[in-house]
PDB file of all heavy atoms in Angstrom:
ATOM      1  N   ALA A1140       0.892  -1.282   0.047  1.00 83.00           N
ATOM      2  CA  ALA A1140       0.084   0.031   0.022  1.00 83.00           C
ATOM      3  C   ALA A1140       0.887   1.255  -0.012  1.00 83.00           C
ATOM      4  O   ALA A1140       0.623   2.171  -0.735  1.00 83.00           O
ATOM      5  CB  ALA A1140      -0.887  -0.031   1.263  1.00 83.00           C
ATOM      6  N   PHE A1141       1.877   1.339   0.830  1.00 85.00           N
ATOM      7  CA  PHE A1141       2.823   2.457   0.793  1.00 85.00           C
ATOM      8  C   PHE A1141       3.580   2.525  -0.531  1.00 85.00           C
ATOM      9  O   PHE A1141       3.725   3.732  -1.023  1.00 85.00           O
ATOM     10  CB  PHE A1141       3.828   2.303   1.907  1.00 85.00           C
ATOM     11  CG  PHE A1141       3.326   2.744   3.230  1.00 85.00           C
ATOM     12  CD1 PHE A1141       2.898   1.859   4.198  1.00 85.00           C
ATOM     13  CD2 PHE A1141       3.310   4.156   3.657  1.00 85.00           C
ATOM     14  CE1 PHE A1141       2.498   2.328   5.454  1.00 85.00           C
ATOM     15  CE2 PHE A1141       2.834   4.607   4.832  1.00 85.00           C
ATOM     16  CZ  PHE A1141       2.325   3.671   5.721  1.00 85.00           C
ATOM     17  N   GLY A1142       3.960   1.420  -1.031  1.00 85.00           N
ATOM     18  CA  GLY A1142       4.676   1.430  -2.364  1.00 85.00           C
ATOM     19  C   GLY A1142       3.776   2.020  -3.416  1.00 85.00           C
ATOM     20  O   GLY A1142       4.167   2.773  -4.290  1.00 85.00           O
ATOM     21  N   VAL A1143       2.467   1.465  -3.435  1.00 82.00           N
ATOM     22  CA  VAL A1143       1.536   1.998  -4.515  1.00 82.00           C
ATOM     23  C   VAL A1143       1.301   3.514  -4.310  1.00 82.00           C
ATOM     24  O   VAL A1143       1.216   4.304  -5.290  1.00 82.00           O
ATOM     25  CB  VAL A1143       0.205   1.291  -4.348  1.00 82.00           C
ATOM     26  CG1 VAL A1143      -0.846   1.835  -5.353  1.00 82.00           C
ATOM     27  CG2 VAL A1143       0.372  -0.181  -4.880  1.00 82.00           C
ATOM     28  N   PHE A1144       1.219   4.018  -3.060  1.00 84.00           N
ATOM     29  CA  PHE A1144       0.893   5.311  -2.753  1.00 84.00           C
ATOM     30  C   PHE A1144       2.087   6.194  -3.269  1.00 84.00           C
ATOM     31  O   PHE A1144       1.883   7.276  -3.899  1.00 84.00           O
ATOM     32  CB  PHE A1144       0.832   5.531  -1.257  1.00 84.00           C
ATOM     33  CG  PHE A1144       0.758   6.934  -0.739  1.00 84.00           C
ATOM     34  CD1 PHE A1144      -0.348   7.866  -1.008  1.00 84.00           C
ATOM     35  CD2 PHE A1144       1.807   7.515  -0.107  1.00 84.00           C
ATOM     36  CE1 PHE A1144      -0.328   9.152  -0.519  1.00 84.00           C
ATOM     37  CE2 PHE A1144       1.797   8.877   0.203  1.00 84.00           C
ATOM     38  CZ  PHE A1144       0.760   9.570   0.054  1.00 84.00           C
ATOM     39  N   LEU A1145       3.355   5.757  -2.951  1.00 83.00           N
ATOM     40  CA  LEU A1145       4.505   6.589  -3.439  1.00 83.00           C
ATOM     41  C   LEU A1145       4.624   6.611  -4.847  1.00 83.00           C
ATOM     42  O   LEU A1145       4.982   7.592  -5.509  1.00 83.00           O
ATOM     43  CB  LEU A1145       5.701   6.099  -2.682  1.00 83.00           C
ATOM     44  CG  LEU A1145       5.808   6.092  -1.219  1.00 83.00           C
ATOM     45  CD1 LEU A1145       7.134   5.545  -0.635  1.00 83.00           C
ATOM     46  CD2 LEU A1145       5.854   7.650  -0.779  1.00 83.00           C
ATOM     47  N   PHE A1146       4.364   5.379  -5.542  1.00 84.00           N
ATOM     48  CA  PHE A1146       4.505   5.323  -6.955  1.00 84.00           C
ATOM     49  C   PHE A1146       3.549   6.246  -7.621  1.00 84.00           C
ATOM     50  O   PHE A1146       3.769   6.734  -8.694  1.00 84.00           O
ATOM     51  CB  PHE A1146       4.401   3.908  -7.403  1.00 84.00           C
ATOM     52  CG  PHE A1146       4.737   3.694  -8.907  1.00 84.00           C
ATOM     53  CD1 PHE A1146       5.865   4.178  -9.518  1.00 84.00           C
ATOM     54  CD2 PHE A1146       3.704   3.032  -9.723  1.00 84.00           C
ATOM     55  CE1 PHE A1146       6.091   4.019 -10.793  1.00 84.00           C
ATOM     56  CE2 PHE A1146       4.037   3.048 -11.035  1.00 84.00           C
ATOM     57  CZ  PHE A1146       5.149   3.334 -11.681  1.00 84.00           C
ATOM     58  N   ARG A1147       2.268   6.240  -7.120  1.00 83.00           N
ATOM     59  CA  ARG A1147       1.268   7.170  -7.857  1.00 83.00           C
ATOM     60  C   ARG A1147       1.534   8.618  -7.589  1.00 83.00           C
ATOM     61  O   ARG A1147       1.233   9.359  -8.346  1.00 83.00           O
ATOM     62  CB  ARG A1147      -0.167   6.710  -7.303  1.00 83.00           C
ATOM     63  CG  ARG A1147      -0.527   5.308  -7.716  1.00 83.00           C
ATOM     64  CD  ARG A1147      -1.996   5.081  -7.617  1.00 83.00           C
ATOM     65  NE  ARG A1147      -2.311   3.802  -8.065  1.00 83.00           N
ATOM     66  CZ  ARG A1147      -3.509   3.179  -8.132  1.00 83.00           C
ATOM     67  NH1 ARG A1147      -4.536   3.988  -7.887  1.00 83.00           N
ATOM     68  NH2 ARG A1147      -3.669   2.013  -8.691  1.00 83.00           N
ATOM     69  N   LYS A1148       2.139   8.973  -6.446  1.00 81.00           N
ATOM     70  CA  LYS A1148       2.571  10.309  -6.222  1.00 81.00           C
ATOM     71  C   LYS A1148       3.802  10.629  -7.239  1.00 81.00           C
ATOM     72  O   LYS A1148       3.757  11.827  -7.824  1.00 81.00           O
ATOM     73  CB  LYS A1148       3.121  10.493  -4.822  1.00 81.00           C
ATOM     74  CG  LYS A1148       1.977  10.543  -3.723  1.00 81.00           C
ATOM     75  CD  LYS A1148       0.995  11.774  -4.085  1.00 81.00           C
ATOM     76  CE  LYS A1148      -0.198  11.789  -3.147  1.00 81.00           C
ATOM     77  NZ  LYS A1148      -1.112  12.769  -3.478  1.00 81.00           N
ATOM     78  N   PHE A1149       4.656   9.711  -7.484  1.00 80.00           N
ATOM     79  CA  PHE A1149       5.725   9.813  -8.506  1.00 80.00           C
ATOM     80  C   PHE A1149       5.104  10.065  -9.828  1.00 80.00           C
ATOM     81  O   PHE A1149       5.507  10.875 -10.580  1.00 80.00           O
ATOM     82  CB  PHE A1149       6.586   8.640  -8.478  1.00 80.00           C
ATOM     83  CG  PHE A1149       7.507   8.544  -9.746  1.00 80.00           C
ATOM     84  CD1 PHE A1149       8.679   9.245  -9.858  1.00 80.00           C
ATOM     85  CD2 PHE A1149       7.128   7.839 -10.789  1.00 80.00           C
ATOM     86  CE1 PHE A1149       9.449   9.229 -10.917  1.00 80.00           C
ATOM     87  CE2 PHE A1149       7.877   7.675 -12.031  1.00 80.00           C
ATOM     88  CZ  PHE A1149       9.111   8.434 -12.020  1.00 80.00           C
ATOM     89  N   LYS A1150       3.980   9.230 -10.243  1.00 81.00           N
ATOM     90  CA  LYS A1150       3.328   9.362 -11.456  1.00 81.00           C
ATOM     91  C   LYS A1150       2.724  10.817 -11.649  1.00 81.00           C
ATOM     92  O   LYS A1150       2.738  11.329 -12.710  1.00 81.00           O
ATOM     93  CB  LYS A1150       2.397   8.328 -11.807  1.00 81.00           C
ATOM     94  CG  LYS A1150       3.028   6.859 -11.819  1.00 81.00           C
ATOM     95  CD  LYS A1150       1.982   5.830 -12.413  1.00 81.00           C
ATOM     96  CE  LYS A1150       0.892   5.615 -11.541  1.00 81.00           C
ATOM     97  NZ  LYS A1150       0.191   4.314 -11.889  1.00 81.00           N
ATOM     98  N   GLN A1151       2.033  11.243 -10.604  1.00 79.00           N
ATOM     99  CA  GLN A1151       1.401  12.559 -10.640  1.00 79.00           C
ATOM    100  C   GLN A1151       2.517  13.600 -10.887  1.00 79.00           C
ATOM    101  O   GLN A1151       2.165  14.563 -11.702  1.00 79.00           O
ATOM    102  CB  GLN A1151       0.680  12.792  -9.298  1.00 79.00           C
ATOM    103  CG  GLN A1151      -0.558  12.043  -9.080  1.00 79.00           C
ATOM    104  CD  GLN A1151      -1.159  12.148  -7.794  1.00 79.00           C
ATOM    105  OE1 GLN A1151      -0.829  13.024  -7.130  1.00 79.00           O
ATOM    106  NE2 GLN A1151      -2.085  11.259  -7.418  1.00 79.00           N
ATOM    107  N   ARG A1152       3.638  13.482 -10.240  1.00 76.00           N
ATOM    108  CA  ARG A1152       4.712  14.555 -10.353  1.00 76.00           C
ATOM    109  C   ARG A1152       5.352  14.448 -11.762  1.00 76.00           C
ATOM    110  O   ARG A1152       5.632  15.459 -12.261  1.00 76.00           O
ATOM    111  CB  ARG A1152       5.733  14.290  -9.244  1.00 76.00           C
ATOM    112  CG  ARG A1152       6.513  15.477  -9.070  1.00 76.00           C
ATOM    113  CD  ARG A1152       7.476  15.348  -7.831  1.00 76.00           C
ATOM    114  NE  ARG A1152       8.292  16.517  -7.644  1.00 76.00           N
ATOM    115  CZ  ARG A1152       7.837  17.640  -7.079  1.00 76.00           C
ATOM    116  NH1 ARG A1152       6.692  17.804  -6.630  1.00 76.00           N
ATOM    117  NH2 ARG A1152       8.622  18.717  -6.845  1.00 76.00           N
ATOM    118  N   TYR A1153       5.500  13.208 -12.180  1.00 78.00           N
ATOM    119  CA  TYR A1153       6.013  13.030 -13.550  1.00 78.00           C
ATOM    120  C   TYR A1153       5.118  13.664 -14.705  1.00 78.00           C
ATOM    121  O   TYR A1153       5.537  14.355 -15.561  1.00 78.00           O
ATOM    122  CB  TYR A1153       6.283  11.609 -13.830  1.00 78.00           C
ATOM    123  CG  TYR A1153       6.860  11.291 -15.323  1.00 78.00           C
ATOM    124  CD1 TYR A1153       8.174  11.207 -15.497  1.00 78.00           C
ATOM    125  CD2 TYR A1153       5.944  11.122 -16.386  1.00 78.00           C
ATOM    126  CE1 TYR A1153       8.566  10.975 -16.687  1.00 78.00           C
ATOM    127  CE2 TYR A1153       6.481  10.871 -17.614  1.00 78.00           C
ATOM    128  CZ  TYR A1153       7.685  10.810 -17.865  1.00 78.00           C
ATOM    129  OH  TYR A1153       8.310  10.625 -19.088  1.00 78.00           O
ATOM    130  N   ASN A1154       3.733  13.429 -14.604  1.00 79.00           N
ATOM    131  CA  ASN A1154       2.767  13.972 -15.444  1.00 79.00           C
ATOM    132  C   ASN A1154       2.859  15.505 -15.391  1.00 79.00           C
ATOM    133  O   ASN A1154       2.663  16.227 -16.507  1.00 79.00           O
ATOM    134  CB  ASN A1154       1.418  13.452 -15.158  1.00 79.00           C
ATOM    135  CG  ASN A1154       1.227  11.989 -15.525  1.00 79.00           C
ATOM    136  OD1 ASN A1154       2.140  11.465 -16.193  1.00 79.00           O
ATOM    137  ND2 ASN A1154       0.138  11.434 -15.001  1.00 79.00           N
ATOM    138  N   ARG A1155       3.062  16.098 -14.255  1.00 77.00           N
ATOM    139  CA  ARG A1155       3.079  17.489 -14.085  1.00 77.00           C
ATOM    140  C   ARG A1155       4.213  18.167 -14.794  1.00 77.00           C
ATOM    141  O   ARG A1155       4.071  19.176 -15.447  1.00 77.00           O
ATOM    142  CB  ARG A1155       3.140  17.842 -12.566  1.00 77.00           C
ATOM    143  CG  ARG A1155       3.240  19.302 -12.327  1.00 77.00           C
ATOM    144  CD  ARG A1155       3.403  19.603 -10.833  1.00 77.00           C
ATOM    145  NE  ARG A1155       3.706  20.907 -10.423  1.00 77.00           N
ATOM    146  CZ  ARG A1155       3.922  21.416  -9.283  1.00 77.00           C
ATOM    147  NH1 ARG A1155       3.896  20.550  -8.095  1.00 77.00           N
ATOM    148  NH2 ARG A1155       4.106  22.721  -9.007  1.00 77.00           N
ATOM    149  N   TYR A1156       5.408  17.480 -14.804  1.00 71.00           N
ATOM    150  CA  TYR A1156       6.604  18.110 -15.395  1.00 71.00           C
ATOM    151  C   TYR A1156       6.954  17.525 -16.733  1.00 71.00           C
ATOM    152  O   TYR A1156       7.597  18.226 -17.650  1.00 71.00           O
ATOM    153  CB  TYR A1156       7.860  17.900 -14.519  1.00 71.00           C
ATOM    154  CG  TYR A1156       7.732  18.790 -13.245  1.00 71.00           C
ATOM    155  CD1 TYR A1156       7.326  18.203 -11.964  1.00 71.00           C
ATOM    156  CD2 TYR A1156       8.011  20.123 -13.238  1.00 71.00           C
ATOM    157  CE1 TYR A1156       7.257  18.933 -10.873  1.00 71.00           C
ATOM    158  CE2 TYR A1156       7.974  20.905 -12.134  1.00 71.00           C
ATOM    159  CZ  TYR A1156       7.508  20.325 -10.950  1.00 71.00           C
ATOM    160  OH  TYR A1156       7.497  21.005  -9.805  1.00 71.00           O
ATOM    161  N   TYR A1157       6.655  16.397 -17.079  1.00 74.00           N
ATOM    162  CA  TYR A1157       6.947  15.750 -18.327  1.00 74.00           C
ATOM    163  C   TYR A1157       5.748  15.183 -19.183  1.00 74.00           C
ATOM    164  O   TYR A1157       6.039  14.842 -20.376  1.00 74.00           O
ATOM    165  CB  TYR A1157       7.943  14.546 -18.003  1.00 74.00           C
ATOM    166  CG  TYR A1157       9.321  14.901 -17.566  1.00 74.00           C
ATOM    167  CD1 TYR A1157       9.436  14.944 -16.120  1.00 74.00           C
ATOM    168  CD2 TYR A1157      10.215  15.277 -18.303  1.00 74.00           C
ATOM    169  CE1 TYR A1157      10.724  15.202 -15.558  1.00 74.00           C
ATOM    170  CE2 TYR A1157      11.558  15.549 -17.857  1.00 74.00           C
ATOM    171  CZ  TYR A1157      11.839  15.622 -16.471  1.00 74.00           C
ATOM    172  OH  TYR A1157      12.960  15.810 -15.968  1.00 74.00           O
ATOM    173  N   GLY A1158       4.627  15.234 -18.648  1.00 71.00           N
ATOM    174  CA  GLY A1158       3.563  14.526 -19.288  1.00 71.00           C
ATOM    175  C   GLY A1158       3.113  15.122 -20.586  1.00 71.00           C
ATOM    176  O   GLY A1158       2.812  14.488 -21.562  1.00 71.00           O
ATOM    177  N   ALA A1159       3.175  16.483 -20.560  1.00 69.00           N
ATOM    178  CA  ALA A1159       2.749  17.207 -21.867  1.00 69.00           C
ATOM    179  C   ALA A1159       3.692  16.929 -23.078  1.00 69.00           C
ATOM    180  O   ALA A1159       3.171  16.804 -24.080  1.00 69.00           O
ATOM    181  CB  ALA A1159       2.678  18.742 -21.588  1.00 69.00           C
ATOM    182  N   ASP A1160       4.885  16.821 -22.683  1.00 72.00           N
ATOM    183  CA  ASP A1160       5.960  16.426 -23.853  1.00 72.00           C
ATOM    184  C   ASP A1160       6.183  14.974 -24.153  1.00 72.00           C
ATOM    185  O   ASP A1160       6.415  14.568 -25.282  1.00 72.00           O
ATOM    186  CB  ASP A1160       7.374  17.262 -23.354  1.00 72.00           C
ATOM    187  CG  ASP A1160       7.019  18.710 -23.337  1.00 72.00           C
ATOM    188  OD1 ASP A1160       6.190  19.186 -24.053  1.00 72.00           O
ATOM    189  OD2 ASP A1160       7.976  19.378 -22.566  1.00 72.00           O
ATOM    190  N   GLU A1161       6.158  14.163 -23.136  1.00 72.00           N
ATOM    191  CA  GLU A1161       6.716  12.867 -23.337  1.00 72.00           C
ATOM    192  C   GLU A1161       5.704  11.665 -22.898  1.00 72.00           C
ATOM    193  O   GLU A1161       5.920  10.604 -22.874  1.00 72.00           O
ATOM    194  CB  GLU A1161       7.896  12.550 -22.544  1.00 72.00           C
ATOM    195  CG  GLU A1161       9.057  13.521 -22.771  1.00 72.00           C
ATOM    196  CD  GLU A1161      10.286  13.288 -21.974  1.00 72.00           C
ATOM    197  OE1 GLU A1161      10.535  12.241 -21.478  1.00 72.00           O
ATOM    198  OE2 GLU A1161      11.175  14.188 -21.943  1.00 72.00           O
ATOM    199  N   GLY A1162       4.303  12.115 -22.769  1.00 74.00           N
ATOM    200  CA  GLY A1162       3.400  11.192 -22.515  1.00 74.00           C
ATOM    201  C   GLY A1162       3.020  11.038 -21.048  1.00 74.00           C
ATOM    202  O   GLY A1162       3.898  11.233 -20.216  1.00 74.00           O
ATOM    203  N   GLU A1163       1.808  10.725 -20.725  1.00 77.00           N
ATOM    204  CA  GLU A1163       1.436  10.733 -19.237  1.00 77.00           C
ATOM    205  C   GLU A1163       1.218   9.357 -18.725  1.00 77.00           C
ATOM    206  O   GLU A1163       0.726   8.396 -19.493  1.00 77.00           O
ATOM    207  CB  GLU A1163       0.061  11.518 -19.153  1.00 77.00           C
ATOM    208  CG  GLU A1163       0.247  13.025 -19.332  1.00 77.00           C
ATOM    209  CD  GLU A1163      -1.035  13.715 -18.901  1.00 77.00           C
ATOM    210  OE1 GLU A1163      -2.077  13.130 -18.681  1.00 77.00           O
ATOM    211  OE2 GLU A1163      -0.955  14.951 -18.791  1.00 77.00           O
ATOM    212  N   TYR A1164       1.394   9.067 -17.442  1.00 77.00           N
ATOM    213  CA  TYR A1164       1.041   7.948 -16.836  1.00 77.00           C
ATOM    214  C   TYR A1164      -0.458   7.789 -16.576  1.00 77.00           C
ATOM    215  O   TYR A1164      -1.137   8.793 -16.474  1.00 77.00           O
ATOM    216  CB  TYR A1164       1.716   7.801 -15.445  1.00 77.00           C
ATOM    217  CG  TYR A1164       3.105   7.277 -15.265  1.00 77.00           C
ATOM    218  CD1 TYR A1164       4.187   8.089 -15.013  1.00 77.00           C
ATOM    219  CD2 TYR A1164       3.313   5.919 -15.526  1.00 77.00           C
ATOM    220  CE1 TYR A1164       5.478   7.573 -14.923  1.00 77.00           C
ATOM    221  CE2 TYR A1164       4.662   5.356 -15.405  1.00 77.00           C
ATOM    222  CZ  TYR A1164       5.688   6.203 -15.216  1.00 77.00           C
ATOM    223  OH  TYR A1164       6.876   5.833 -15.093  1.00 77.00           O
ATOM    224  N   GLU A1165      -0.937   6.505 -16.581  1.00 76.00           N
ATOM    225  CA  GLU A1165      -2.375   6.328 -16.343  1.00 76.00           C
ATOM    226  C   GLU A1165      -2.427   5.880 -14.811  1.00 76.00           C
ATOM    227  O   GLU A1165      -1.556   5.588 -14.191  1.00 76.00           O
ATOM    228  CB  GLU A1165      -2.901   5.264 -17.231  1.00 76.00           C
ATOM    229  CG  GLU A1165      -2.827   5.417 -18.751  1.00 76.00           C
ATOM    230  CD  GLU A1165      -1.490   4.923 -19.285  1.00 76.00           C
ATOM    231  OE1 GLU A1165      -0.757   4.357 -18.515  1.00 76.00           O
ATOM    232  OE2 GLU A1165      -1.259   5.258 -20.478  1.00 76.00           O
ATOM    233  N   ASN A1166      -3.743   5.838 -14.285  1.00 73.00           N
ATOM    234  CA  ASN A1166      -3.951   5.439 -13.004  1.00 73.00           C
ATOM    235  C   ASN A1166      -3.096   6.135 -11.863  1.00 73.00           C
ATOM    236  O   ASN A1166      -2.418   5.480 -11.211  1.00 73.00           O
ATOM    237  CB  ASN A1166      -3.852   3.889 -12.726  1.00 73.00           C
ATOM    238  CG  ASN A1166      -4.753   3.143 -13.659  1.00 73.00           C
ATOM    239  OD1 ASN A1166      -5.807   3.437 -13.994  1.00 73.00           O
ATOM    240  ND2 ASN A1166      -4.276   1.967 -14.183  1.00 73.00           N
ATOM    241  N   THR A1167      -3.429   7.490 -11.922  1.00 72.00           N
ATOM    242  CA  THR A1167      -2.525   8.205 -10.911  1.00 72.00           C
ATOM    243  C   THR A1167      -3.186   8.533  -9.627  1.00 72.00           C
ATOM    244  O   THR A1167      -2.555   9.089  -8.703  1.00 72.00           O
ATOM    245  CB  THR A1167      -2.020   9.632 -11.619  1.00 72.00           C
ATOM    246  OG1 THR A1167      -3.354  10.350 -12.029  1.00 72.00           O
ATOM    247  CG2 THR A1167      -1.304   9.283 -12.845  1.00 72.00           C
ATOM    248  N   GLU A1168      -4.531   8.308  -9.516  1.00 74.00           N
ATOM    249  CA  GLU A1168      -5.269   8.690  -8.376  1.00 74.00           C
ATOM    250  C   GLU A1168      -5.022   7.618  -7.264  1.00 74.00           C
ATOM    251  O   GLU A1168      -4.994   6.424  -7.568  1.00 74.00           O
ATOM    252  CB  GLU A1168      -6.672   8.843  -8.644  1.00 74.00           C
ATOM    253  CG  GLU A1168      -7.012  10.055  -9.601  1.00 74.00           C
ATOM    254  CD  GLU A1168      -6.521  11.283  -8.942  1.00 74.00           C
ATOM    255  OE1 GLU A1168      -6.644  11.559  -7.883  1.00 74.00           O
ATOM    256  OE2 GLU A1168      -6.049  12.112  -9.843  1.00 74.00           O
ATOM    257  N   PHE A1169      -4.982   8.003  -6.067  1.00 71.00           N
ATOM    258  CA  PHE A1169      -4.915   6.992  -4.943  1.00 71.00           C
ATOM    259  C   PHE A1169      -6.098   7.161  -4.062  1.00 71.00           C
ATOM    260  O   PHE A1169      -6.301   8.174  -3.369  1.00 71.00           O
ATOM    261  CB  PHE A1169      -3.593   7.432  -4.172  1.00 71.00           C
ATOM    262  CG  PHE A1169      -3.256   6.398  -3.067  1.00 71.00           C
ATOM    263  CD1 PHE A1169      -2.639   5.187  -3.281  1.00 71.00           C
ATOM    264  CD2 PHE A1169      -3.596   6.606  -1.796  1.00 71.00           C
ATOM    265  CE1 PHE A1169      -2.479   4.206  -2.402  1.00 71.00           C
ATOM    266  CE2 PHE A1169      -3.273   5.636  -0.701  1.00 71.00           C
ATOM    267  CZ  PHE A1169      -2.712   4.505  -1.057  1.00 71.00           C
ATOM    268  N   SER A1170      -6.916   6.092  -4.107  1.00 68.00           N
ATOM    269  CA  SER A1170      -8.099   6.119  -3.291  1.00 68.00           C
ATOM    270  C   SER A1170      -8.525   4.542  -3.159  1.00 68.00           C
ATOM    271  O   SER A1170      -8.079   3.713  -3.791  1.00 68.00           O
ATOM    272  CB  SER A1170      -9.234   6.877  -3.976  1.00 68.00           C
ATOM    273  OG  SER A1170      -9.621   6.259  -5.214  1.00 68.00           O
ATOM    274  N   GLN A1171      -9.558   4.363  -2.294  1.00 67.00           N
ATOM    275  CA  GLN A1171     -10.007   3.138  -2.058  1.00 67.00           C
ATOM    276  C   GLN A1171     -10.616   2.415  -3.267  1.00 67.00           C
ATOM    277  O   GLN A1171     -10.519   1.332  -3.482  1.00 67.00           O
ATOM    278  CB  GLN A1171     -11.057   2.986  -0.997  1.00 67.00           C
ATOM    279  CG  GLN A1171     -10.394   3.030   0.470  1.00 67.00           C
ATOM    280  CD  GLN A1171     -11.431   2.967   1.669  1.00 67.00           C
ATOM    281  OE1 GLN A1171     -12.088   3.899   2.052  1.00 67.00           O
ATOM    282  NE2 GLN A1171     -11.571   1.656   2.132  1.00 67.00           N
ATOM    283  N   GLU A1172     -11.382   3.322  -4.017  1.00 67.00           N
ATOM    284  CA  GLU A1172     -11.871   2.802  -5.340  1.00 67.00           C
ATOM    285  C   GLU A1172     -10.871   2.550  -6.399  1.00 67.00           C
ATOM    286  O   GLU A1172     -10.990   1.447  -7.116  1.00 67.00           O
ATOM    287  CB  GLU A1172     -12.792   3.928  -5.830  1.00 67.00           C
ATOM    288  CG  GLU A1172     -14.091   4.144  -5.063  1.00 67.00           C
ATOM    289  CD  GLU A1172     -13.747   4.973  -3.718  1.00 67.00           C
ATOM    290  OE1 GLU A1172     -12.683   5.630  -3.738  1.00 67.00           O
ATOM    291  OE2 GLU A1172     -14.562   4.949  -2.749  1.00 67.00           O
ATOM    292  N   GLU A1173      -9.800   3.322  -6.479  1.00 65.00           N
ATOM    293  CA  GLU A1173      -8.781   2.986  -7.432  1.00 65.00           C
ATOM    294  C   GLU A1173      -7.668   2.103  -6.987  1.00 65.00           C
ATOM    295  O   GLU A1173      -7.030   1.531  -7.934  1.00 65.00           O
ATOM    296  CB  GLU A1173      -8.022   4.519  -7.835  1.00 65.00           C
ATOM    297  CG  GLU A1173      -8.986   5.377  -8.545  1.00 65.00           C
ATOM    298  CD  GLU A1173      -9.363   5.009  -9.943  1.00 65.00           C
ATOM    299  OE1 GLU A1173      -8.646   4.229 -10.564  1.00 65.00           O
ATOM    300  OE2 GLU A1173     -10.468   5.454 -10.365  1.00 65.00           O
ATOM    301  N   TYR A1174      -7.598   1.805  -5.691  1.00 66.00           N
ATOM    302  CA  TYR A1174      -6.409   1.072  -5.242  1.00 66.00           C
ATOM    303  C   TYR A1174      -6.405  -0.384  -5.929  1.00 66.00           C
ATOM    304  O   TYR A1174      -5.219  -0.901  -6.344  1.00 66.00           O
ATOM    305  CB  TYR A1174      -6.399   0.979  -3.787  1.00 66.00           C
ATOM    306  CG  TYR A1174      -5.243   0.205  -3.168  1.00 66.00           C
ATOM    307  CD1 TYR A1174      -3.996   0.676  -3.118  1.00 66.00           C
ATOM    308  CD2 TYR A1174      -5.519  -1.197  -2.787  1.00 66.00           C
ATOM    309  CE1 TYR A1174      -2.872  -0.124  -2.646  1.00 66.00           C
ATOM    310  CE2 TYR A1174      -4.375  -1.941  -2.316  1.00 66.00           C
ATOM    311  CZ  TYR A1174      -3.080  -1.347  -2.299  1.00 66.00           C
ATOM    312  OH  TYR A1174      -2.078  -2.037  -1.768  1.00 66.00           O
TER     313      TYR A1174
END
């Protein structure tokens, strides 16, 4: 659970800085429904 949380935070940050130019990660939300 901690690993998934940190990795999705990493994906959100990656999309913020690199997503527009190099493509975005999917499944970036962290919630009970998405977990």
